[in-house]
Amino acid sequence: MSETLQSRPVLVVDFGAQYAQLIARRVREAKVYSEVVPHTMSVAAMLAKNPAAVILSGGPASVYAAGAPSLDPALLAAGVPVFGMCYGFQAMVQALGGTVAHTGTGEYGHTDAVVTPDGSLLFDGQPKEQSVWMSHGDSVTEAPAGMAVTATTPGATVAAFEDADRRLFGVQWHPEVLHTAYGQRVLENFLWRGAGIPADWTASNVVESLVESVRAQVGTGRVLCALSGGVDSSVAAALVQRAVGDQLTCVFVDHGLLREGEHEQVEQEFVAATGVRLVVVDARERFLTALAGLTDPEAKRKAIGAQFIRVFEQAARDLVGSASADGNPIEFLVQGTLYPDVVESGGGEGAANIKSHHNVGGLPKDLKFTLVEPLRALFKDEVRAVGLELGVPEAIVWRQPFPGPGLGVRIIGEVTAERLAILRAADAIAREELTAAGLDREIWQCPVVLLAEVRSVGVQGDGRTYGHPIVLRPVSSEDAMTADWTRVPYDVLAKISTRITNEVSEVNRVVLDVTSKPPGTIEWE
């Protein structure tokens, strides 16, 4: 991206909070770019990023516990605006010489706070009494020298403080959650006024910045784009085409792991709307061969990722050797990698590897391309906003997310042509009924999973059956980092179940997954 938008990020320092990613999202909703970094990062490394501000997240530890994360006072003396939340607030107090004590009175959930709007930067223009979301056992009993106490609660005599001259601010509660009534306004006051950061992280500015970044990386080089027809790859393709035009060729791999009608949707809808140059590669047999005998989810993802790259390498060789080619090698490969993909694959700084995404953790080491990943820093809602700004059809922009490895990771067990046909039919029915019920915008996505290694007894046509179960996994989410199962109306679920068991002969049972994320991931594999 251009220097304007990413040269001075807001760093969200993760002290082990379940909400660190949410804080980053809230900052971006305030039209300011943000990145999450681990608390183990040194102050020198943080300052090397030239941050416009630093936000200290909450965390599960007590500042007094052995091995608890600590805050280097050098960060608070560096002249960078700092805002502490919950644990981050207490870490600031400890680093600045204030007092955090075991008072024996904790606060959890909704709590009434009394704030001091007059003269306060954080609470300016807000009511004196407001509901906040607390989660703390220890409490600050003495504010550091120079700090003005600006809020109290029944269990915390020092619930917020600020020093506008040093640009240091903190609150004991969680302003990032929706349960805190004025949380977003407090955050915006810190970002826009306390730190003086311009609100320029908008879709139009992001598009302009991304286009500039792609042009700078690619130059006059030729580019391939991995086009699946999903939101991410479609927006990435439209963005790169805006940047480099005819230097781009999109390659659509029919790997046999697609849902019903996806091949046609790519050719008819996306190509018609964007006019991109498209090459279709039929690699169905190749992928099935590579997946034969594999049942471990990570092994399947890595095998699919490796085959993707090999197919693109061959496509590049074929394009260079074609009569219409200019003979120049194709050195760049565009992928629709998003920020949650990077974090879950362990690619974020300090992130744990939850699962390898085929385009992040599953890439082969001898990759022949230089990757172009213009969406790598974006959340899904930001990608959609960029897509609309680029003119990508709404039918594609608002399409439910679909994993790059396709139905290959929605079959629990070995992937075979027969099992793919079963799952494809069941998935088509579920999608059709959810659309008919007008639930497409309410549901983030609804993976349909085939338990291929499980069979259950059923009765169909007065006879005993021993068929496969199908799992419906409807979830609601903002960015896939967290999710809850969607309460789909019973009549819709009944219609889906009846149609699947009537129309897909190999299935005799439909079940509903009612697990949130965490502890479960959205996909089963």
Side-chain angles (χ1 to χ4, degrees), residues 182-257:
Y182 293 89
Q184 188 66 13
R185 188 181 299 183
V186 166
L187 183 59
E188 289 170 355
N189 280 346
F190 166 71
L191 294 169
W192 297 343
R193 298 176 58 191
I197 304 172
D200 59 5
W201 184 255
T202 62
S204 59
N205 286 343
V206 170
V207 167
E208 180 181 349
S209 185
L210 290 170
V211 166
E212 291 176 4
S213 178
V214 170
R215 285 174 180 162
Q217 180 183 6
V218 171
T220 59
R222 298 178 65 194
V223 191
L224 282 182
C225 179
L227 181 63
S228 70
V231 181
D232 307 335
S233 68
S234 297
V235 173
L239 184 68
V240 174
Q241 188 195 39
R242 171 79 64 89
V244 299
D246 290 342
Q247 294 167 234
L248 170 69
T249 299
C250 289
V251 177
F252 174 72
V253 177
D254 187 352
H255 48 31
L257 308 174

Coordinates of all heavy atoms in Angstrom, one line a residue, residues 182-257:
Y182 N -20.6 3.7 25.1 CA -19.9 4.7 24.3 C -18.5 4.3 24.0 O -17.6 5.2 23.8 CB -19.9 6.0 25.1 CG -21.3 6.6 25.3 CD1 -22.1 6.2 26.4 CD2 -21.8 7.5 24.4 CE1 -23.4 6.7 26.5 CE2 -23.1 8.0 24.5 CZ -23.9 7.6 25.6 OH -25.2 8.1 25.7
G183 N -18.3 3.0 23.9 CA -16.9 2.5 23.6 C -16.3 3.0 22.3 O -15.1 3.5 22.3
Q184 N -17.1 3.0 21.3 CA -16.5 3.4 20.0 C -16.2 4.9 20.0 O -15.2 5.3 19.4 CB -17.4 3.0 18.8 CG -16.9 3.3 17.4 CD -15.7 2.4 17.1 OE1 -15.4 1.4 17.8 NE2 -15.0 2.7 16.0
R185 N -17.0 5.7 20.6 CA -16.8 7.1 20.7 C -15.5 7.4 21.5 O -14.7 8.3 21.1 CB -18.0 7.9 21.3 CG -17.8 9.4 21.2 CD -19.0 10.1 21.8 NE -20.3 9.8 21.1 CZ -21.4 10.4 21.4 NH1 -21.5 11.3 22.4 NH2 -22.5 10.0 20.8
V186 N -15.3 6.7 22.6 CA -14.1 6.9 23.4 C -12.9 6.5 22.5 O -11.9 7.3 22.5 CB -14.2 6.0 24.7 CG1 -12.8 5.9 25.3 CG2 -15.2 6.5 25.6
L187 N -13.0 5.4 21.8 CA -11.8 5.0 20.9 C -11.6 6.1 19.9 O -10.4 6.4 19.6 CB -12.1 3.7 20.3 CG -11.0 3.0 19.4 CD1 -9.8 2.9 20.2 CD2 -11.5 1.7 18.9
E188 N -12.6 6.6 19.3 CA -12.5 7.6 18.2 C -11.9 8.9 18.8 O -11.0 9.5 18.1 CB -13.8 7.9 17.6 CG -14.3 6.7 16.7 CD -15.7 6.8 16.2 OE1 -16.4 7.8 16.6 OE2 -16.2 6.0 15.4
N189 N -12.3 9.2 20.0 CA -11.7 10.4 20.6 C -10.2 10.3 20.8 O -9.4 11.2 20.6 CB -12.4 10.7 22.0 CG -13.7 11.4 21.8 OD1 -14.0 12.0 20.8 ND2 -14.5 11.4 22.9
F190 N -9.8 9.1 21.2 CA -8.4 8.8 21.4 C -7.6 8.9 20.1 O -6.6 9.6 19.9 CB -8.1 7.5 22.0 CG -6.7 7.0 21.9 CD1 -5.7 7.6 22.6 CD2 -6.3 6.0 21.0 CE1 -4.3 7.2 22.5 CE2 -5.0 5.6 20.9 CZ -4.0 6.2 21.6
L191 N -8.2 8.2 19.0 CA -7.5 8.2 17.7 C -7.5 9.5 17.0 O -6.4 10.0 16.6 CB -8.2 7.1 16.9 CG -8.1 5.7 17.3 CD1 -9.1 4.8 16.5 CD2 -6.7 5.1 17.2
W192 N -8.6 10.2 16.9 CA -8.7 11.4 16.1 C -8.2 12.6 16.9 O -7.6 13.5 16.3 CB -10.2 11.6 15.7 CG -10.8 10.5 14.9 CD1 -10.1 9.6 14.2 CD2 -12.2 10.3 14.6 NE1 -11.0 8.8 13.5 CE2 -12.2 9.2 13.8 CE3 -13.3 10.9 15.1 CZ2 -13.5 8.7 13.3 CZ3 -14.6 10.4 14.6 CH2 -14.6 9.3 13.8
R193 N -8.5 12.7 18.2 CA -8.1 13.9 18.9 C -6.8 13.7 19.8 O -5.9 14.5 19.7 CB -9.3 14.3 19.8 CG -10.5 14.7 19.0 CD -11.7 15.0 19.9 NE -11.4 16.1 20.8 CZ -12.1 16.5 21.8 NH1 -13.2 15.8 22.1 NH2 -11.7 17.5 22.6
G194 N -6.8 12.6 20.5 CA -5.7 12.3 21.4 C -4.4 12.1 20.6 O -3.3 12.6 20.9
A195 N -4.5 11.3 19.5 CA -3.4 10.9 18.7 C -3.3 11.8 17.5 O -2.3 11.8 16.8 CB -3.4 9.4 18.4
G196 N -4.4 12.5 17.1 CA -4.4 13.3 15.9 C -4.2 12.6 14.6 O -3.6 13.1 13.7
I197 N -4.8 11.4 14.5 CA -4.7 10.6 13.3 C -5.8 10.9 12.4 O -7.0 10.9 12.8 CB -4.7 9.1 13.7 CG1 -3.6 8.7 14.7 CG2 -4.5 8.2 12.4 CD1 -3.7 7.3 15.3
P198 N -5.5 11.1 11.1 CA -6.6 11.4 10.1 C -7.4 10.2 9.9 O -6.9 9.1 9.8 CB -5.8 11.9 8.9 CG -4.5 11.2 9.0 CD -4.2 11.2 10.5
A199 N -8.7 10.3 9.7 CA -9.6 9.2 9.4 C -9.7 9.0 7.9 O -10.6 9.3 7.2 CB -11.0 9.6 9.9
D200 N -8.6 8.4 7.3 CA -8.5 8.2 5.9 C -8.5 6.8 5.4 O -8.2 6.5 4.3 CB -7.2 8.9 5.4 CG -5.9 8.4 6.0 OD1 -6.0 7.4 6.8 OD2 -4.8 9.0 5.8
W201 N -8.8 5.8 6.4 CA -8.9 4.4 6.0 C -10.3 4.2 5.4 O -11.1 3.6 6.1 CB -8.5 3.5 7.2 CG -8.5 2.1 6.9 CD1 -9.4 1.1 7.2 CD2 -7.5 1.3 6.2 NE1 -9.1 -0.1 6.8 CE2 -7.8 0.0 6.2 CE3 -6.3 1.7 5.6 CZ2 -7.1 -1.0 5.6 CZ3 -5.5 0.7 5.0 CH2 -5.9 -0.6 5.0
T202 N -10.5 4.7 4.2 CA -11.8 4.5 3.6 C -11.7 3.7 2.3 O -10.6 3.5 1.8 CB -12.4 5.9 3.2 OG1 -11.5 6.5 2.2 CG2 -12.6 6.8 4.4
A203 N -12.8 3.1 1.8 CA -12.7 2.2 0.7 C -12.1 2.9 -0.5 O -11.2 2.3 -1.2 CB -14.2 1.8 0.3
S204 N -12.4 4.1 -0.8 CA -11.8 4.8 -2.0 C -10.3 5.0 -1.8 O -9.6 4.7 -2.7 CB -12.5 6.1 -2.3 OG -12.4 7.0 -1.1
N205 N -9.9 5.4 -0.6 CA -8.5 5.6 -0.4 C -7.7 4.3 -0.3 O -6.6 4.2 -0.8 CB -8.3 6.3 1.0 CG -8.6 7.8 0.9 OD1 -8.7 8.3 -0.2 ND2 -8.8 8.4 2.0
V206 N -8.4 3.2 0.2 CA -7.8 1.9 0.2 C -7.5 1.4 -1.2 O -6.5 0.9 -1.5 CB -8.6 0.9 1.1 CG1 -8.1 -0.5 0.9 CG2 -8.6 1.3 2.6
V207 N -8.6 1.5 -2.0 CA -8.4 1.1 -3.4 C -7.2 1.8 -4.1 O -6.4 1.2 -4.7 CB -9.7 1.3 -4.2 CG1 -9.5 1.2 -5.7 CG2 -10.8 0.4 -3.7
E208 N -7.2 3.1 -3.9 CA -6.1 3.9 -4.6 C -4.8 3.5 -4.1 O -3.8 3.3 -4.8 CB -6.3 5.4 -4.2 CG -5.3 6.3 -4.8 CD -5.5 7.8 -4.5 OE1 -6.6 8.1 -4.0 OE2 -4.6 8.6 -4.7
S209 N -4.7 3.2 -2.7 CA -3.4 2.8 -2.1 C -3.0 1.4 -2.6 O -1.8 1.2 -2.9 CB -3.6 2.9 -0.6 OG -2.3 2.6 0.0
L210 N -4.0 0.5 -2.6 CA -3.7 -0.9 -3.1 C -3.3 -0.9 -4.5 O -2.3 -1.6 -4.9 CB -4.9 -1.8 -2.9 CG -5.4 -2.1 -1.5 CD1 -6.7 -2.7 -1.5 CD2 -4.3 -3.0 -0.8
V211 N -3.9 -0.1 -5.4 CA -3.5 -0.1 -6.8 C -2.1 0.4 -6.9 O -1.3 -0.1 -7.7 CB -4.5 0.8 -7.6 CG1 -4.0 1.2 -8.9 CG2 -5.9 0.2 -7.7
E212 N -1.8 1.5 -6.2 CA -0.4 2.0 -6.3 C 0.6 0.9 -5.8 O 1.7 0.8 -6.4 CB -0.3 3.2 -5.4 CG -1.0 4.5 -5.9 CD -0.9 5.6 -4.9 OE1 -0.2 5.5 -3.9 OE2 -1.6 6.6 -5.2
S213 N 0.2 0.2 -4.8 CA 1.1 -0.8 -4.2 C 1.4 -1.9 -5.2 O 2.5 -2.4 -5.4 CB 0.6 -1.4 -2.9 OG 1.4 -2.4 -2.4
V214 N 0.3 -2.4 -5.9 CA 0.4 -3.4 -6.9 C 1.3 -3.0 -8.1 O 2.2 -3.7 -8.6 CB -1.0 -3.9 -7.4 CG1 -0.8 -4.8 -8.6 CG2 -1.7 -4.6 -6.3
R215 N 1.1 -1.8 -8.5 CA 1.9 -1.2 -9.6 C 3.3 -1.1 -9.3 O 4.2 -1.5 -10.1 CB 1.4 0.2 -10.0 CG 0.1 0.1 -10.8 CD -0.5 1.6 -11.0 NE -1.7 1.5 -11.8 CZ -2.6 2.5 -11.8 NH1 -2.3 3.7 -11.2 NH2 -3.7 2.4 -12.5
A216 N 3.6 -0.7 -8.0 CA 5.0 -0.6 -7.6 C 5.7 -2.0 -7.5 O 6.8 -2.2 -7.9 CB 5.1 0.0 -6.2
Q217 N 4.9 -3.0 -7.1 CA 5.5 -4.4 -7.0 C 5.7 -5.0 -8.3 O 6.7 -5.6 -8.6 CB 4.6 -5.3 -6.1 CG 5.2 -6.7 -5.9 CD 4.3 -7.6 -5.1 OE1 3.1 -7.2 -4.8 NE2 4.7 -8.8 -4.9
V218 N 4.7 -4.9 -9.2 CA 4.7 -5.6 -10.5 C 5.4 -4.9 -11.6 O 6.1 -5.6 -12.4 CB 3.2 -5.9 -10.9 CG1 3.1 -6.4 -12.3 CG2 2.5 -6.8 -9.9
G219 N 5.4 -3.6 -11.6 CA 6.0 -2.9 -12.7 C 5.4 -3.3 -14.0 O 4.2 -3.2 -14.2
T220 N 6.3 -3.7 -15.0 CA 5.8 -4.1 -16.3 C 5.7 -5.6 -16.4 O 5.5 -6.1 -17.5 CB 6.7 -3.6 -17.4 OG1 8.0 -4.1 -17.2 CG2 6.8 -2.1 -17.4
G221 N 5.8 -6.3 -15.3 CA 5.7 -7.8 -15.3 C 4.4 -8.4 -15.6 O 3.4 -7.7 -15.5
R222 N 4.4 -9.6 -16.0 CA 3.1 -10.3 -16.3 C 2.7 -11.0 -15.1 O 3.5 -11.5 -14.2 CB 3.3 -11.3 -17.5 CG 3.7 -10.6 -18.8 CD 4.0 -11.6 -19.9 NE 2.7 -12.3 -20.2 CZ 2.7 -13.4 -20.9 NH1 3.8 -14.0 -21.4 NH2 1.5 -14.0 -21.2
V223 N 1.3 -11.1 -14.9 CA 0.7 -11.6 -13.7 C -0.3 -12.7 -14.0 O -1.1 -12.5 -14.9 CB 0.1 -10.4 -12.9 CG1 -0.3 -10.9 -11.5 CG2 1.0 -9.2 -12.9
L224 N -0.3 -13.7 -13.1 CA -1.4 -14.6 -13.1 C -2.3 -14.4 -11.8 O -1.7 -14.0 -10.8 CB -0.9 -16.1 -13.1 CG -0.4 -16.8 -14.3 CD1 0.0 -18.2 -14.0 CD2 -1.4 -16.7 -15.4
C225 N -3.6 -14.6 -11.9 CA -4.4 -14.5 -10.7 C -5.2 -15.8 -10.5 O -5.8 -16.3 -11.5 CB -5.4 -13.3 -10.9 SG -6.5 -13.2 -9.4
A226 N -5.1 -16.3 -9.3 CA -5.9 -17.5 -9.0 C -7.3 -17.1 -8.7 O -7.7 -16.6 -7.7 CB -5.3 -18.1 -7.7
L227 N -8.2 -17.3 -9.7 CA -9.6 -16.9 -9.6 C -10.4 -18.1 -9.3 O -10.5 -19.0 -10.1 CB -10.0 -16.2 -11.0 CG -11.4 -15.7 -11.0 CD1 -11.7 -14.6 -10.0 CD2 -11.8 -15.2 -12.4
S228 N -11.1 -18.0 -8.2 CA -12.0 -19.1 -7.8 C -13.5 -18.7 -8.0 O -14.3 -19.6 -8.0 CB -11.8 -19.5 -6.3 OG -12.3 -18.4 -5.5
G229 N -13.8 -17.4 -8.1 CA -15.1 -17.0 -8.2 C -15.7 -16.5 -6.9 O -16.8 -16.0 -6.8
G230 N -14.9 -16.8 -5.8 CA -15.3 -16.3 -4.5 C -15.0 -14.8 -4.3 O -14.5 -14.2 -5.2
V231 N -15.4 -14.3 -3.1 CA -15.3 -12.9 -2.9 C -13.8 -12.4 -3.0 O -13.5 -11.5 -3.6 CB -15.9 -12.5 -1.5 CG1 -15.8 -11.0 -1.3 CG2 -17.3 -13.0 -1.4
D232 N -13.0 -13.2 -2.2 CA -11.6 -12.7 -2.1 C -10.8 -12.7 -3.4 O -10.2 -11.7 -3.8 CB -10.9 -13.6 -1.1 CG -11.6 -13.7 0.2 OD1 -12.4 -12.8 0.6 OD2 -11.5 -14.8 0.9
S233 N -10.9 -13.8 -4.1 CA -10.1 -13.9 -5.4 C -10.7 -12.9 -6.4 O -10.0 -12.4 -7.2 CB -10.0 -15.3 -5.9 OG -11.3 -15.7 -6.3
S234 N -12.0 -12.8 -6.4 CA -12.7 -11.9 -7.4 C -12.3 -10.4 -7.2 O -12.0 -9.7 -8.1 CB -14.2 -12.0 -7.3 OG -14.6 -13.3 -7.7
V235 N -12.3 -10.0 -5.9 CA -11.9 -8.6 -5.6 C -10.4 -8.4 -5.9 O -10.0 -7.4 -6.4 CB -12.2 -8.3 -4.1 CG1 -11.6 -6.9 -3.7 CG2 -13.7 -8.3 -3.9
A236 N -9.6 -9.4 -5.5 CA -8.1 -9.3 -5.8 C -7.9 -9.2 -7.3 O -7.1 -8.4 -7.8 CB -7.4 -10.6 -5.3
A237 N -8.7 -10.0 -8.1 CA -8.5 -9.9 -9.6 C -8.9 -8.6 -10.1 O -8.2 -8.0 -11.0 CB -9.3 -11.0 -10.2
A238 N -10.1 -8.1 -9.7 CA -10.5 -6.7 -10.1 C -9.6 -5.6 -9.7 O -9.3 -4.7 -10.5 CB -11.9 -6.5 -9.5
L239 N -9.0 -5.8 -8.6 CA -8.0 -4.8 -8.1 C -6.7 -4.8 -8.9 O -6.3 -3.7 -9.4 CB -7.7 -5.0 -6.6 CG -6.8 -4.0 -6.0 CD1 -7.5 -2.7 -5.8 CD2 -6.3 -4.5 -4.6
V240 N -6.2 -6.0 -9.2 CA -5.0 -6.1 -10.0 C -5.2 -5.6 -11.4 O -4.4 -5.0 -12.1 CB -4.4 -7.5 -9.9 CG1 -3.2 -7.6 -10.8 CG2 -4.0 -7.8 -8.5
Q241 N -6.4 -6.0 -12.0 CA -6.7 -5.5 -13.3 C -6.8 -4.0 -13.4 O -6.3 -3.4 -14.3 CB -8.0 -6.1 -13.8 CG -8.3 -5.8 -15.3 CD -9.7 -6.0 -15.7 OE1 -10.6 -5.7 -14.9 NE2 -9.9 -6.6 -16.9
R242 N -7.3 -3.4 -12.3 CA -7.4 -1.9 -12.3 C -5.9 -1.4 -12.3 O -5.6 -0.3 -12.9 CB -8.1 -1.5 -11.0 CG -8.0 0.0 -10.7 CD -9.0 0.9 -11.5 NE -10.4 0.6 -11.2 CZ -11.1 1.1 -10.3 NH1 -10.6 2.1 -9.5 NH2 -12.4 0.8 -10.1
A243 N -5.0 -2.1 -11.6 CA -3.6 -1.6 -11.5 C -2.8 -1.9 -12.8 O -2.1 -1.0 -13.2 CB -3.0 -2.3 -10.3
V244 N -2.9 -3.1 -13.4 CA -2.0 -3.4 -14.5 C -2.6 -3.8 -15.8 O -2.0 -4.1 -16.7 CB -1.0 -4.5 -14.0 CG1 -0.2 -4.0 -12.8 CG2 -1.7 -5.8 -13.7
G245 N -4.0 -3.8 -15.8 CA -4.7 -4.0 -17.1 C -4.3 -5.4 -17.7 O -4.4 -6.4 -17.1
D246 N -3.9 -5.3 -19.0 CA -3.7 -6.5 -19.8 C -2.5 -7.3 -19.4 O -2.2 -8.4 -19.9 CB -3.5 -6.1 -21.3 CG -4.8 -5.6 -21.9 OD1 -5.9 -5.9 -21.3 OD2 -4.8 -4.9 -22.9
Q247 N -1.7 -6.8 -18.4 CA -0.6 -7.6 -17.9 C -1.2 -8.8 -17.1 O -0.4 -9.8 -16.8 CB 0.3 -6.8 -17.0 CG 1.0 -5.7 -17.7 CD 1.7 -4.7 -16.7 OE1 1.5 -3.5 -16.8 NE2 2.4 -5.2 -15.7
L248 N -2.4 -8.8 -16.8 CA -3.1 -9.8 -15.9 C -3.8 -10.8 -16.8 O -4.5 -10.5 -17.7 CB -4.1 -9.2 -14.9 CG -5.0 -10.1 -14.2 CD1 -4.2 -10.9 -13.1 CD2 -6.1 -9.3 -13.5
T249 N -3.6 -12.1 -16.4 CA -4.4 -13.2 -16.9 C -4.9 -14.0 -15.7 O -4.2 -14.4 -14.9 CB -3.6 -14.2 -17.8 OG1 -3.1 -13.4 -18.9 CG2 -4.4 -15.3 -18.3
C250 N -6.2 -14.2 -15.7 CA -6.8 -14.9 -14.6 C -6.9 -16.4 -15.0 O -7.3 -16.7 -16.1 CB -8.2 -14.4 -14.3 SG -8.2 -12.8 -13.5
V251 N -6.6 -17.3 -14.1 CA -6.7 -18.7 -14.3 C -7.7 -19.3 -13.3 O -7.5 -19.1 -12.1 CB -5.3 -19.4 -14.1 CG1 -5.4 -20.9 -14.3 CG2 -4.3 -18.8 -15.1
F252 N -8.7 -19.9 -13.9 CA -9.7 -20.6 -13.1 C -9.4 -22.1 -13.1 O -9.5 -22.7 -14.2 CB -11.1 -20.2 -13.6 CG -12.2 -21.0 -12.9 CD1 -12.6 -20.7 -11.6 CD2 -12.9 -22.0 -13.6 CE1 -13.6 -21.4 -11.0 CE2 -13.9 -22.7 -13.0 CZ -14.3 -22.4 -11.7
V253 N -9.2 -22.7 -12.0 CA -8.9 -24.1 -11.9 C -10.2 -24.8 -11.5 O -10.7 -24.7 -10.4 CB -7.8 -24.4 -10.9 CG1 -7.5 -25.9 -10.8 CG2 -6.5 -23.7 -11.3
D254 N -10.6 -25.7 -12.4 CA -11.7 -26.6 -12.1 C -11.1 -27.8 -11.5 O -10.7 -28.7 -12.2 CB -12.6 -26.9 -13.3 CG -13.8 -27.7 -12.9 OD1 -14.0 -28.1 -11.8 OD2 -14.7 -27.9 -13.8
H255 N -11.0 -27.8 -10.1 CA -10.3 -28.9 -9.5 C -11.3 -30.0 -9.0 O -10.9 -30.9 -8.3 CB -9.5 -28.4 -8.3 CG -10.2 -27.5 -7.4 ND1 -11.6 -27.5 -7.1 CD2 -9.8 -26.4 -6.6 CE1 -11.9 -26.6 -6.3 NE2 -10.8 -25.9 -5.9
G256 N -12.5 -29.9 -9.4 CA -13.5 -30.9 -9.0 C -14.0 -30.8 -7.6 O -14.8 -31.6 -7.2
L257 N -13.5 -29.7 -6.9 CA -13.9 -29.6 -5.5 C -14.9 -28.4 -5.4 O -15.1 -27.9 -4.3 CB -12.7 -29.3 -4.6 CG -11.6 -30.4 -4.8 CD1 -10.4 -30.0 -4.0 CD2 -12.1 -31.8 -4.3

